[in-house]
Amino acid sequence: MHILKAGLIKSGNFWLHTILHNIIDYSDFEYKSFIQNQPIYELAKTWDINQLKGQIDINCLDITKNAVFYRISNIFRYPVDDIDDYINSSTLVWSHSQMSSNALTIMEKFDKVIYIVRDPRDVSISWSNFVFSPYVRRYFPFFTVDETNPETYLNKNLTTIISDWMNHVGGYLKHHKDLNIHFVFYERLLHNFDYELEKILEYLEIDLDTKFRGEIKEKVSFNNMKKESPNHIRKGNLGQWVDILTDAQKEEVLSMATPLLKLLNYPLNSQIDSLPELPEKLPENINLPDGNVVLLKPSNH
């Protein structure tokens, strides 16, 4: 089996990737890794990368509109010359790539595609804190060259982050049937992990007994993951935007993203009394902040 896990950055990707990796470890499937068999891998072991546990072992794929690359963190990037060989050599692949015709063509080659979604208001806060982490400060100092703290960064970049979220999520929604995508909501993982794990296992067509499921739950708990990757895992909360975003920022988000927030059942006010979900029927289109329209009708691709 070859699984692609996708999502916009700071949406819970590391958590979901760790869950999937553990599922594979407890199943009968052989784990294959493309990156572990590349010459750069041995050199990468000497790099000072401590953002995520096992970061150099992640099979990370970047798909642009006309090219595809494999990478290690954001430090090393190299073209994939044979995508079929890459996929056949990788059981689990991580991607932040935005949907495009090239991405669709490549993603169709995977057996399973799982996409994680998180409230964009919490994404924006996590994103703004991330750019001030030791990892980003060392390797990408230009991100914060004109900013002094996460608050000023968020205020300046909120519109861009929400726009990116809408385009990213909208693109995968458009092709959810083409790719038979299983959508995972970060908030639902927090609320009822056992149920969401069950749904993931059903989608992957993997059966694990209660003992193994319990062990996975413990391994991917916030406390354990925080202990192993303290520079990446911060709080693991939902709805932090209620107390952190200003009224003006909340209104800005709503002015841009209300149609998509409403479609996915995210709250439109500061009272969080429901969980997000994928609607049974999608509308024909969603207006995006860049002026484009994403058609959500199933395509004939």
Side-chain angles (χ1 to χ4, degrees), residues 178-191:
D178 299 320
L179 297 171
N180 186 29
I181 301 173
H182 179 68
F183 282 83
V184 174
F185 290 91
Y186 178 87
E187 294 79 11
R188 284 187 170 274
L189 271 178
L190 282 174
H191 178 75

Side-chain angles (χ1 to χ4, degrees), residues 49 51 55 73-75 130 133-140:
I49 306 178
Q51 184 68 17
Q55 189 163 7
S73 182
N74 290 315
I75 299 172
F130 175 64
S133 66
Y135 168 77
V136 176
R137 288 275 199 168
R138 177 173 184 183
Y139 293 104
F140 311 98

Side-chain angles (χ1 to χ4, degrees), residues 260-276:
L260 195 47
L261 289 172
K262 190 173 182 179
L263 176 70
L264 298 177
N265 201 40
Y266 276 110
L268 301 181
N269 55 48
S270 296
Q271 185 174 353
I272 301 177
D273 54 6
S274 63
L275 291 170

Side-chain angles (χ1 to χ4, degrees), residues 4-16:
L4 176 71
K5 179 219 61 69
L8 184 66
I9 68 170
K10 311 313 297 175
S11 296
N13 292 275
F14 181 47
W15 190 16
L16 180 56

Side-chain angles (χ1 to χ4, degrees), residues 20-46:
L20 295 173
H21 205 309
N22 274 277
I23 289 173
I24 294 167
D25 287 344
Y26 279 100
S27 72
D28 295 329
F29 289 99
E30 177 188 3
Y31 181 79
K32 297 180 180 180
S33 174
F34 175 88
I35 195 63
Q36 290 177 358
N37 292 291
Q38 302 310 302
I40 192 64
Y41 180 72
E42 292 303 317
L43 177 61
K45 290 179 179 179
T46 68

Side-chain angles (χ1 to χ4, degrees), residues 206-299:
I206 293 175
D207 184 29
L208 295 180
D209 62 28
T210 302
K211 177 177 180 293
F212 287 164
R213 296 182 191 203
E215 290 180 8
I216 291 175
K217 183 177 182 178
E218 177 62 23
K219 286 182 178 181
V220 303
S221 68
F222 174 79
N223 288 337
N224 277 339
M225 293 189 65
K226 174 71 172 177
K227 187 184 305 180
E228 294 179 344
S229 301
N231 293 320
H232 188 80
I233 308 295
R234 290 185 62 251
K235 293 184 177 180
N237 294 335
L238 62 85
Q240 56 183 324
W241 62 269
V242 172
D243 298 318
I244 293 178
L245 294 187
T246 66
D247 289 343
Q249 289 171 330
K250 293 174 185 176
E251 287 300 318
E252 182 179 354
V253 174
L254 291 180
S255 69
M256 297 176 62
T258 289
L260 195 47
L261 289 172
K262 190 173 182 179
L263 176 70
L264 298 177
N265 201 40
Y266 276 110
L268 301 181
N269 55 48
S270 296
Q271 185 174 353
I272 301 177
D273 54 6
S274 63
L275 291 170
E277 59 184 344
L278 192 68
E280 292 185 6
K281 183 178 181 180
L282 292 174
E284 293 189 357
N285 62 70
I286 285 288
N287 294 316
L288 297 180
D290 59 5
N292 292 325
V293 175
V294 165
L295 300 176
L296 297 181
K297 292 186 300 182
S299 74

